[in-house]
Amino acid sequence: MKAKRLVVFTALLGCLLAACYTVPQTGRSSFNIIGASQEQHLGVSAFDEIKKKETVSSNSVHIAMIERVGKRIAAVADQDIPNAKWEFVLFDNPQANAFALPGGKVGVYTGILEITKDDAGLAAVLGHEIGHVAARHGAERMSEQMALAGLATGLAIGLEASGESARTRNLSLLAFGITATGFRVLPHSRQQESEADRIGLTYMAKAGYDPKESIAFWERFRDYNKKKGGAPPPFLSTHPADDKRIADLQKLLPEAEVYYKTSGKGQ
Ligand SMILES: [Zn+2]
C-alpha cells in the first residue's frame, strides 16, 4: 500500500513539475494538472447531469440559430480543443445565461436570446464561453483547488480515473463554474474573464462575424442589468465590470477587424 502511494505521489510530483498549459491565442502559461482527456470526460458527464435537470427547448427557429452560429465558432475553435464532440443545446430557462464545457458541450438559456438579438450577438457569447474551454479555465481552477487541498483530492482523482465518484463529479461541476445544486454559475477570475473575451473576439471575427457586434452585445447586456436592478443575474456575477470589459474589447478591436476582413466569410 505504501509503495503504491509512493508511486502515485511521484507521478503526481512529476506532473506538477511539468504542469503547464499554454493557452491558445494568448500564449499565457497556466497551471494545470488535469489531463485533457479526463477534463473532457468530466465536462461530458457534467453536461449529461445538466440535461437531466433542465428543460430542453423545442423552439426550432432558436435551435437552428444556436446550431448555425455554434458550428461556425466551433470550426474556428476546433484546433484549440482537440477531440471535441460539439453539441449545442438550448434550455428553456429565463436566466440570461450560457456556458460551455470541455468536450465541446455548449448550453444556451433562452433568457439570453433577447439580449444577443441576432447571430453576431450570439457569436459574441458563444465565442466567449468556448474561449473559456479553449483556455481550459475549468481545469485550471480545478488544479488550483487541488493544490490548495494539499493534493489529497488529486490523489483521489488519480486513483479513480476509470470511474469518477460523486465527489469528483461535484468537483468538476464546481470547477467548470456550475454548482451541483441548481447550476448556479460561479465567478471566474478577472484574468480568466478578460482572456475569454480576447479569445472569443478572435473566434467570432475568424468565423466571419463583425467583432464590433461583441461590444454592442456587452452594451445591451450592461443596459439590461441596469434596467433589471436588484440582485445581479448569474451571468452578470460571473462577468463583472461591464464598462471595463467594453473598454478592453475596444482596444482589441483593430486586431480582430483584420481577422474579420481576412476570414472571407462575412455575414
Ligand atoms: Zn466568462
Side-chain angles (χ1 to χ4, degrees), residues 16-72:
L16 269 175
L17 293 172
C20 267
Y21 173 66
T22 305
V23 175
Q25 313 294 336
T26 71
R28 178 176 69 91
S29 279
S30 69
F31 172 64
N32 204 328
I33 51 174
I34 313 284
S37 64
Q38 192 188 2
E39 180 195 14
Q40 227 178 43
H41 177 68
L42 294 172
V44 170
S45 45
F47 198 58
D48 286 342
E49 303 255 325
I50 294 165
K51 282 196 283 191
K52 273 185 224 153
K53 294 216 170 180
E54 294 279 343
T55 309
V56 175
S57 168
S58 56
N59 182 320
S60 56
V61 174
H62 287 160
I63 291 168
M65 178 170 72
I66 304 290
E67 287 185 348
R68 178 173 66 240
V69 177
K71 276 179 188 156
R72 272 170 67 168

Side-chain angles (χ1 to χ4, degrees), residues 86-110:
W86 295 98
E87 191 179 349
F88 300 89
V89 179
L90 180 65
F91 296 109
D92 257 326
N93 187 319
Q95 283 183 15
N97 204 0
F99 63 87
L101 297 170
K105 306 300 176 188
V106 182
V108 177
Y109 290 4
T110 45

Side-chain angles (χ1 to χ4, degrees), residues 128-129 132 188 193 239:
H128 174 93
E129 295 304 329
H132 277 304
H188 284 282
E193 274 310 299
H239 300 92

Side-chain angles (χ1 to χ4, degrees), residues 99-161:
F99 63 87
L101 297 170
K105 306 300 176 188
V106 182
V108 177
Y109 290 4
T110 45
I112 201 157
L113 297 181
E114 63 179 277
I115 311 166
T116 55
K117 298 268 185 222
D118 52 20
D119 284 21
L122 183 63
V125 170
L126 295 186
H128 174 93
E129 295 304 329
I130 292 170
H132 277 304
V133 174
R136 303 187 61 198
H137 285 159
E140 183 180 26
R141 173 151 57 185
M142 213 164 155
S143 301
E144 282 162 5
Q145 284 169 351
M146 282 160 64
L148 288 172
L151 301 180
T153 318
L155 284 170
I157 285 178
L159 293 169
E160 290 162 8

Side-chain angles (χ1 to χ4, degrees), residues 26 124 127-133 135 137 191-201 245:
T26 71
H128 174 93
E129 295 304 329
I130 292 170
H132 277 304
V133 174
H137 285 159
Q191 182 188 44
Q192 290 187 337
E193 274 310 299
S194 60
E195 192 164 71
D197 275 344
R198 187 172 157 193
I199 299 171
L201 195 70
R245 171 192 308 271

